[in-house]
Amino acid sequence: MAKQLLPWTYVLLSLTAAEQPSAPKPVAAPMRSLPWGQMNFLQTTDTHGWHAGHLQEPQYSADWGDYISFAERMHQKADEIGADLLLVDTGDRVEGNGLYDASNPKGRYDYDIFKEQDIDIICTGNHELYQADAAAREYTQTVPNFKGRYLASNLDYIRPDTGERIPMAQRFRKFTTKNQGIRVLAFGFLFDFTGNANNTVVQPVGKTIEEKWFQDAIREDVDLFIVIGHVTLHGPEYKAIFKAIRSQKWDTPIQFFGGHSHIRDFAKYDSKAYGLQSGRYMETVGWMSIDGIKGKGKKGDLKELELRSDMSFQRRYIDNNLFGYRYHTGLNESTFPTEHGQNVSASIHTARKALNLDYFYGCAPKDLWMSRAPYPSDNSLYSWLEKEVLADVATNPKRKDKPRMVIFNTGGMRFDIFKGTFTRDSTYIVSPFVSTLKYIKDVPFKAASQMLPLLNNGGPIFESTKLQPRQLAPPEQLTIHYDIIAPQLPIQDSFISGAAQAPLLSSSPDLVPGYTTKDDAGDDGDDTLHAPISFYKIPNCIQATASMPEKSDPETVDLVFIDFIQPWVLTALRFTGQTYNNSHVENYRPEIFTDLLAGWIKEHWKKDCRS
C-alpha cells in the first residue's frame, strides 16, 4: 500500500545563504515536522570542529550560531506549550576541521565558540583524549565552561601538578525539569577506550557500574534516567548499563544518547528505553521527544499521563541548514535569527579569517569519495591516495633508493574531496591528525608482504591483545558490514511501500542526495527527504610501493607506516615470526602527514579554478 503524503509538507521559504558568507544557500526540500512531547531533546555528537558548517554542501550549511538561534527559538516554543527541552552533546568536538586544528594551541577560537550553546548534559569522546594537551584543555576549558552539566561517569584526569587521579567531572547529575517538573538522573559515559593519553584514565563500563556510587544512583526515585555517552547504541557498554538500571528500576523510562560511529541511529532496548545517535560533522542535529512520563506537571497545557504503558518515544534527524531550522520554528529569514546566534556566527567568521582558512592551495580535478565510490576505483579517495600520493610523499632522502612498502590506515582520512577549490581548511577536513610517518628498515620482504592482508583481515592474531583492526577504518565503517548500492528509482506519483526510498511527485524538484535512514523505528526518521546515496565497504588499510625492482622481489624493504598503526604493525610482524619491537621503529619523515598532503596538493593541483 502506498504511503500517504500527509506527513510531509513542501514549503517554500525565503532563502538566503547561511550565516557564513561563503556557505551555499540551503535547498528547498520536502520536510517532516518534529513531534513534540513532554520531554524533548536536541542532540549533537561528533562535530569534530565543523562549527562553521559545511561550506561546500548546502544541506548542512548552517553554523553553530544558527544552531544557537534554533535552540533558543525551540526553547521559546517549549515554554509556550509547557513542554521541556534539553540539549545534549556526546563528545568528539575536536580534530577534523581547520576551525579547531589550524590554531596554535588547537581550539584557540573553537572552545569559546562552542561554549556559547546552552547545553544541559555533555560528555567527552575519544578524540578529546588521544593527545595529552587536548585532554588537559578539556579539563581546564570545556569542563568549567559547562560546570555542573559536564558528566564523566567513567573518566578520570591525572593532575599535572600533583599526579593525583581525580574525576574529569562529576559522575552524574540529578535535576528537575523547568516546565513539567520531571525528576531526572543523568550519566555521561565513554566506551571502553584504550588509546587515551597517559594523563587520563578510562575505566571500563563493566567495572564502573559495579561501584557503590552508581549502584546508589540507580536506586534513586526519579521519573527518567538519561544516559549520554560517546558509545554506539548497540554496543556492549550500553547493554550493560541498561541491564544494570533495569535490575533496580524495571519500569522507569530510560533515554540513551550515543555517538562515535558517525551514523544516524535509533535503538529500542524495551518499551520504555530507547537510544538516539545523531550522525557526525554538524550534518545532523538529533531530535527526541518522550510523552507519557509520570512527572509533577508544574505548568502548561500538556496533560500528565498516569499510565506509563501509554508512553511514546519519537525521533527525527534534522539536516543542519537554515531551510529546516526556519521550517521547524515557523519563522522566516528576518524573524528566525537571534542576536546571540548572529554574534556567534560573526565570531566564527572572524576566527576563520584570523586562521586564513580560505587560503587557496589548489584545484581538485574531480570528486574523490571515501565510501560513496567503490575501492578500488577512479573516484575512490583511497585509490587516489594509494596510486598518486603515498609513494610520492613517503620519501626519505637518505633511503629514497631503498625498496619500500608504505601502509596507511583508511581511518586516517576523514572526509571526501569535492571537485574545485581546495583550501587550507580542506586540508584539515581531509587529514586533521598530527600523525607522522615511521618505518622499520630492512624488513624481510616475505614478512612485509603479509602486513596488508593481516591488517585488513584481522583474525586470531589480534584476539589476544586489546587491538581491534576495525579501529583502523573510518568510524562509519563500524556498523555497516556490506555495500549499500543506491537504487536507480524512477520518478513516481506516490511513495513506494516497503523499504525502498522513493522521491515525491514527479513535479517535485530534484532531490539532494543525502541520508535515507533505516533504524529500529523504521524509515521515517529523517526530517528531509533525500535521494539515496551508495555506501561501500573499504579496507582497514591501503598500501603503496616505491623503488621496487622490476623483475623480482627484493630481499628486504623499508616498511613505512603512519604512526597510529604502529601497535598493529608490530603485532602482525610477530605473527610472521619476526621479533621487532618499539625500539626498532624510527622516524621516516619529520613532518606531520597533513603538511605532506598539503605540499602534494600545492605541487600537483596548481590550476586556479576560482571564479
Side-chain angles (χ1 to χ4, degrees):
M1 181 172 137
K3 294 182 182 178
Q4 298 298 311
L5 198 58
L6 293 176
W8 291 86
T9 305
Y10 189 77
V11 292
L12 293 175
L13 299 178
S14 174
L15 298 175
T16 63
E19 293 294 346
Q20 290 309 299
S22 60
K25 295 181 180 180
V27 178
M31 303 291 296
R32 282 188 179 96
S33 299
L34 302 181
W36 282 81
Q38 288 172 282
M39 177 71 85
N40 307 276
F41 301 88
L42 290 169
Q43 185 208 8
T44 50
T45 188
D46 295 270
T47 55
H48 285 285
W50 286 75
H51 303 122
H54 288 237
L55 305 183
Q56 293 177 292
E57 296 178 281
Q59 67 270 38
Y60 313 123
S61 55
D63 65 24
W64 196 247
D66 299 322
Y67 177 47
I68 287 172
S69 292
F70 179 59
E72 290 175 350
R73 296 306 188 195
M74 296 297 276
H75 270 299
Q76 293 170 1
K77 185 172 182 178
D79 290 343
E80 289 170 2
I81 66 174
D84 285 308
L85 174 64
L86 299 178
L87 269 64
V88 171
D89 183 84
T90 52
D92 271 12
R93 295 169 286 275
V94 306
E95 294 189 330
N97 191 284
L99 191 59
Y100 173 84
D101 292 288
S103 64
N104 186 16
K106 292 182 181 294
R108 177 182 175 188
Y109 302 97
D110 202 37
Y111 288 108
D112 288 338
I113 289 165
F114 189 88
K115 75 177 183 181
E116 291 299 315
Q117 182 62 283
D118 187 16
I119 298 172
D120 298 281
I121 317 172
I122 185 172
C123 67
T124 193
N126 56 301
H127 278 266
E128 280 84 10
L129 306 181
Y130 275 118
Q131 305 296 327
D133 60 339
R137 289 191 295 271
E138 192 70 7
Y139 179 74
T140 60
Q141 295 190 55
T142 310
V143 170
N145 285 344
F146 295 94
K147 186 176 181 180
R149 295 170 286 166
Y150 195 117
L151 303 182
S153 298
N154 66 326
L155 175 62
D156 291 340
Y157 181 68
I158 308 298
R159 292 187 56 171
D161 52 345
T162 65
E164 180 186 7
R165 175 177 167 178
I166 59 175
M168 175 70 86
Q170 65 193 71
R171 299 299 194 199
F172 67 96
R173 180 189 178 198
K174 188 177 179 182
F175 61 97
T176 300
T177 62
K178 173 183 175 183
N179 292 327
Q180 286 288 302
I182 296 169
R183 297 168 301 164
V184 173
L185 198 148
F187 301 102
F189 281 92
L190 175 63
F191 72 93
D192 292 347
F193 178 52
T194 59
N196 50 299
N198 61 10
N199 61 344
T200 58
V201 178
V202 181
Q203 180 166 273
V205 170
K207 184 177 179 180
T208 301
I209 62 178
E210 296 175 352
E211 293 185 337
K212 185 178 185 300
W213 73 264
F214 182 85
Q215 289 295 321
D216 290 344
I218 62 176
R219 288 167 169 81
E220 292 275 354
D221 183 19
V222 295
D223 304 311
L224 175 69
F225 287 101
I226 299 175
V227 182
I228 77 164
H230 199 73
V231 181
T232 58
L233 296 183
H234 297 278
E237 295 91 348
Y238 271 1
K239 291 178 182 178
I241 295 169
F242 167 73
K243 184 178 179 181
I245 295 174
R246 279 288 175 259
S247 72
Q248 300 301 321
K249 299 291 184 179
W250 67 273
D251 194 44
T252 304
I254 312 171
Q255 177 60 52
F256 290 84
F257 290 94
H260 183 54
S261 57
H262 290 195
I263 63 172
R264 295 179 173 186
D265 199 13
F266 183 74
K268 178 179 180 180
Y269 303 98
D270 67 18
S271 62
K272 295 168 188 172
Y274 291 82
L276 180 72
Q277 182 176 329
S278 305
R280 62 171 194 175
Y281 300 165
M282 280 299 289
E283 294 171 345
T284 305
V285 173
W287 173 264
M288 188 76 206
S289 67
I290 309 174
D291 225 345
I293 302 173
K294 190 177 180 180
K296 296 177 183 177
K298 288 169 61 178
K299 66 178 183 179
D301 297 328
L302 296 178
K303 296 181 179 179
E304 178 183 336
L305 300 185
E306 296 294 339
L307 299 176
R308 286 184 177 170
S309 59
D310 294 332
M311 292 188 68
S312 67
F313 293 75
Q314 299 183 77
R315 87 287 185 232
R316 285 283 184 268
Y317 308 107
I318 303 170
D319 278 10
N320 177 47
N321 64 65
L322 284 175
F323 177 87
Y325 285 171
R326 292 169 185 164
Y327 170 70
H328 293 308
T329 56
L331 301 172
N332 58 35
E333 179 183 348
S334 61
T335 59
F336 169 76
T338 64
E339 182 179 1
H340 183 199
Q342 288 179 316
N343 288 340
V344 172
S345 293
S347 296
I348 294 170
H349 180 60
T350 299
R352 285 184 53 81
K353 289 186 67 176
L355 294 170
N356 204 14
L357 294 183
D358 291 327
Y359 182 80
F360 179 78
Y361 278 3
C363 183
K366 61 182 177 181
D367 294 330
L368 294 168
W369 307 107
M370 290 177 61
S371 58
R372 286 174 63 171
Y375 168 85
S377 72
D378 289 341
N379 293 108
S380 167
L381 179 74
Y382 299 106
S383 292
W384 164 74
L385 195 66
E386 189 176 64
K387 294 179 180 180
E388 299 187 40
V389 180
L390 282 182
D392 200 9
V393 301
T395 303
N396 182 324
K398 295 181 180 180
R399 300 184 67 85
K400 63 182 180 179
D401 297 324
K402 296 285 186 180
R404 60 190 181 275
M405 305 175 77
V406 186
I407 301 177
F408 191 91
N409 70 302
T410 54
M413 304 297 276
R414 302 296 282 186
F415 202 63
D416 308 312
I417 293 176
F418 298 119
K419 180 180 179 179
T421 302
F422 194 97
T423 65
R424 185 175 190 232
D425 194 21
S426 306
T427 309
Y428 290 108
I429 286 171
V430 173
S431 176
F433 304 128
V434 293
S435 300
T436 59
L437 292 172
K438 305 289 187 179
Y439 84 115
I440 302 174
K441 63 184 176 183
D442 301 328
V443 175
F445 174 77
K446 184 177 180 180
S449 63
Q450 296 180 59
M451 292 301 96
L452 191 65
L454 289 172
L455 294 170
N456 282 332
N457 297 326
I461 67 169
F462 297 108
E463 290 179 0
S464 61
T465 70
K466 295 182 180 180
L467 301 172
Q468 297 179 345
R470 66 177 185 171
Q471 293 174 324
L472 302 175
E476 298 86 351
Q477 299 279 328
L478 287 173
T479 54
I480 300 176
H481 306 294
Y482 52 86
D483 292 346
I484 300 173
I485 312 301
Q488 299 297 316
L489 297 176
I491 298 294
Q492 307 222 354
D493 287 337
S494 63
F495 285 101
I496 295 176
S497 61
Q501 296 284 325
L504 278 180
L505 306 181
S506 58
S507 58
S508 299
D510 292 337
L511 297 176
V512 175
Y515 289 99
T516 51
T517 310
K518 299 174 185 176
D519 55 30
D520 281 5
D523 59 2
D524 61 350
D526 300 313
D527 82 323
T528 306
L529 189 63
H530 296 123
I533 58 177
S534 296
F535 182 95
Y536 293 92
K537 291 293 293 179
I538 58 175
N540 297 328
C541 295
I542 58 174
Q543 177 180 282
T545 60
S547 300
M548 301 291 278
E550 294 183 6
K551 296 182 179 180
S552 63
D553 295 331
E555 183 177 343
T556 63
V557 298
D558 283 352
L559 183 60
V560 184
F561 49 88
I562 200 75
D563 60 6
F564 178 80
I565 70 172
Q566 180 172 320
W568 286 269
V569 170
L570 291 174
T571 300
L573 282 170
R574 285 193 291 270
F575 181 77
T576 69
Q578 303 300 311
T579 57
Y580 296 108
N581 56 43
N582 288 328
S583 67
H584 295 98
V585 178
E586 302 177 57
N587 292 326
Y588 193 72
R589 291 289 300 256
E591 308 94 332
I592 64 172
F593 184 80
T594 301
D595 291 341
L596 293 175
L597 180 65
W600 191 96
I601 298 294
K602 294 174 185 177
E603 177 64 26
H604 294 84
W605 288 353
K606 293 181 179 179
K607 179 182 177 182
D608 193 342
C609 51
R610 292 171 292 180
S611 60

